[in-house]
Amino acid sequence: MAFPSKEEIERVSKKLKNVEGTVLPPENPTPIEQLRWEICQKFVIYKLDNKITQKELAAQLGVDEAKVSKILRHRIDEFTTDRLVKLFYKVDKNFSLKIIDAA
């Protein structure tokens, strides 16, 4: 197996330096953090199931592509729970929330 050259590693590292990946939920998320993360997951599943681009999803939601990018990467700090729910409802009118008492 051939390993990449030092130059190739540096080129790829430079390219990836400013890439923002998907954010995982915190180790012990609050119920709201968990809910918001799960709604973002629904957007990812919707995009994949419908084989649409980020740009097409942005058009369906009526928001810019940068916002969709943040949702798809679970960068939920810029979105209220209410806004995420309203946006997802635009693509799935059957979407509903249920509160379950875990106690």
Side-chain angles (χ1 to χ4, degrees), residues 7 22 26 36 39 48 62 65 73 77 86:
E7 292 79 22
T22 299
R36 293 166 74 199
I39 293 170
L48 293 173
E65 199 173 339
R73 287 170 179 71
D77 52 317
K86 285 179 182 178

Side-chain angles (χ1 to χ4, degrees), residues 9-19:
I9 291 172
E10 288 174 4
R11 185 186 67 76
V12 171
S13 293
K14 186 177 179 182
K15 197 174 191 179
L16 293 175
K17 187 176 182 178
N18 295 320
V19 172

Side-chain angles (χ1 to χ4, degrees), residues 75-92:
R75 299 194 176 278
I76 57 176
D77 52 317
E78 292 190 26
F79 300 92
T80 63
T81 304
D82 186 52
R83 183 158 187 220
L84 288 171
V85 169
K86 285 179 182 178
L87 286 172
F88 194 75
Y89 187 75
K90 288 182 177 185
V91 295
D92 184 355

Side-chain angles (χ1 to χ4, degrees), residues 52-76:
I52 59 174
T53 65
Q54 188 172 292
K55 187 174 187 174
E56 290 168 327
L57 181 55
Q60 287 182 14
L61 297 174
V63 298
D64 63 67
E65 199 173 339
K67 293 285 187 210
V68 171
S69 176
K70 289 181 184 204
I71 292 169
L72 296 175
R73 287 170 179 71
H74 300 77
R75 299 194 176 278
I76 57 176

